[in-house]
Amino acid sequence: MNSYLENLRLEVKEYYNILNKGGIPEFLVPYIETKEMQKLEGISVSCGTIYSKIFDYKWYSTLEHSIGVALIIWNFTKDKKQTLSGLFHDIATPVFKHTIDFMNEDYETQESTEELTSKIIGESKEIMSLLTKDGIKLEEVVDYHIYPIADNDTPMLSSDRLEYTLSNGLGATAKLWDLKEVKEIYEDIEVQKNEKGIEELGFKTKEIAEKFVHNMSKLSSMYIQNKVKISMQFLADTIKKMLNRKLITEENLYTLTEKEMIEKIENCKYDNISKCFDLWKNATGIKESNAEVERKILS
């Protein structure tokens, strides 16, 4: 097992063992080790908001989320193709995650970067070699939307939605449950057929389903708080301005880690970009008004 997996935080290891008894199956390890997947370790699931004191979030990487999604799919399907589609579903994630969807004005579906998934996987000699070895075609793993256990539309429950709800509730965004409660919730889930005859993750007991939905609704409210939307728009505007000034490239969004991108922002000498970022980074809250407020630009 590689050093990344060996050095996983204990809580993450215990969490993964809940999602799939025995943790990460051996066939997944070489895929996780690829540079395209490892790059996701430098991208937080928080869409960049974790870098401001406004938020009291805990680090949870997009790679950790992707592995979690893959483990859920494997646990319920034992299907390599579906599992790999879940592992790869965020492989095209740029720095600050859905903030770039804000920049692309894709506020609702937040899927504007997903079209690069096929390109990134297809151009990876390492991943393509592994797929060939496993007898899997590119088109069978590049779109996890085709597998309803992996992804589906709300209000249905998918592996992707289940994973980020569980991990965010474990402390990445809010402390709503502990590992014992996660285990109780997870063990109550099974694959069912919905009213359309399509496979879907569902609960065995109403009480646990209600407990899950109750906390899920708390998280959903947090995702749309004004401080979240303002912060994501601020980061989107910052990135767009730097792109327009040719201070960064589109490629940088998909090749740099967030730490590397923040270094570029903080060293930027144009248009008060670094000053504004420093103000946001050290802010502890936002002020809201029902009336239009005067915009002030740093000089």
Side-chain angles (χ1 to χ4, degrees), residues 38-96:
Q38 285 295 309
K39 182 255 180 181
L40 301 180
E41 177 59 15
I43 299 176
S44 169
V45 296
S46 71
C47 303
T49 55
I50 195 173
Y51 302 107
S52 172
K53 294 178 182 178
I54 295 172
F55 304 92
D56 183 23
Y57 291 168
K58 187 168 69 174
W59 177 264
Y60 192 69
S61 74
T62 298
L63 178 56
E64 290 170 322
H65 162 67
S66 298
I67 294 171
V69 173
L71 292 181
I72 293 172
I73 298 171
W74 179 252
N75 179 72
F76 288 109
T77 71
K78 294 298 185 288
D79 185 297
K80 286 187 178 182
K81 296 172 185 177
Q82 294 190 51
T83 300
L84 287 170
S85 76
L87 182 71
F88 294 146
H89 82 282
D90 272 344
I91 200 169
T93 296
V95 292
F96 308 139

Side-chain angles (χ1 to χ4, degrees), residues 116-262:
L116 292 172
T117 299
S118 180
K119 182 175 186 292
I120 290 173
I121 296 175
E123 292 180 356
S124 170
K125 293 181 180 178
E126 198 174 2
I127 294 177
M128 290 305 298
S129 175
L130 290 169
L131 290 175
T132 299
K133 181 181 177 182
D134 285 333
I136 298 172
K137 298 177 182 178
L138 176 64
E139 58 267 25
E140 293 175 313
V141 297
V142 295
D143 184 8
Y144 81 138
H145 299 300
I146 66 176
Y147 302 115
I149 297 300
D151 184 63
N152 52 36
D153 295 329
T154 56
M156 293 181 285
L157 183 62
S158 66
S159 297
D160 183 19
R161 201 167 299 114
L162 174 60
E163 197 294 317
Y164 69 66
T165 301
L166 293 177
S167 56
N168 281 340
L170 268 174
T173 300
K175 191 64 177 175
L176 299 178
W177 38 53
D178 56 25
L179 286 171
K180 182 179 178 181
E181 291 171 300
V182 166
K183 188 173 187 291
E184 177 190 41
I185 290 168
Y186 194 68
E187 289 181 349
D188 196 64
I189 295 173
E190 63 182 1
V191 176
Q192 302 173 351
K193 287 272 184 83
N194 64 23
E195 61 275 12
K196 296 181 180 179
I198 299 172
E199 286 191 335
E200 179 186 346
L201 298 180
F203 289 89
K204 301 172 190 174
T205 60
K206 180 181 178 182
E207 293 75 20
I208 294 181
E210 289 176 340
K211 179 179 181 179
F212 176 79
V213 171
H214 176 72
N215 279 346
M216 188 179 189
S217 65
K218 289 183 180 180
L219 290 169
S220 297
S221 296
M222 294 179 69
Y223 301 152
I224 60 172
Q225 287 177 314
N226 284 340
K227 65 181 182 180
V228 174
K229 291 185 285 187
I230 289 171
S231 293
M232 290 178 68
Q233 190 62 60
F234 166 72
L235 289 171
D237 291 345
T238 300
I239 294 297
K240 188 171 185 177
K241 182 173 287 189
M242 292 182 72
L243 283 170
N244 289 341
R245 287 275 189 172
K246 301 189 185 306
L247 303 172
I248 57 174
T249 66
E250 288 275 356
E251 185 181 7
N252 290 155
L253 303 182
Y254 300 92
T255 58
L256 298 181
T257 64
E258 288 176 347
K259 181 180 179 182
E260 291 168 335
M261 182 59 73
I262 287 172

Side-chain angles (χ1 to χ4, degrees), residues 22-38:
I24 300 170
E26 194 60 35
F27 86 90
L28 266 186
V29 174
Y31 290 98
I32 294 170
E33 291 176 348
T34 61
K35 67 177 182 179
E36 289 81 9
M37 290 303 303
Q38 285 295 309

Side-chain angles (χ1 to χ4, degrees), residues 241-298:
K241 182 173 287 189
M242 292 182 72
L243 283 170
N244 289 341
R245 287 275 189 172
K246 301 189 185 306
L247 303 172
I248 57 174
T249 66
E250 288 275 356
E251 185 181 7
N252 290 155
L253 303 182
Y254 300 92
T255 58
L256 298 181
T257 64
E258 288 176 347
K259 181 180 179 182
E260 291 168 335
M261 182 59 73
I262 287 172
E263 287 178 359
K264 286 186 173 292
I265 294 172
E266 292 181 328
N267 292 327
C268 183
K269 305 300 181 184
Y270 295 93
D271 294 338
N272 297 301
I273 286 174
S274 62
K275 288 183 179 179
C276 290
F277 184 82
D278 189 63
L279 279 175
W280 172 77
K281 185 176 71 173
N282 291 298
T284 56
I286 64 169
K287 293 183 179 180
E288 301 183 43
S289 173
N290 291 325
E292 184 177 352
V293 295
E294 179 184 356
R295 295 182 65 187
K296 292 184 179 181
I297 307 298
L298 286 176

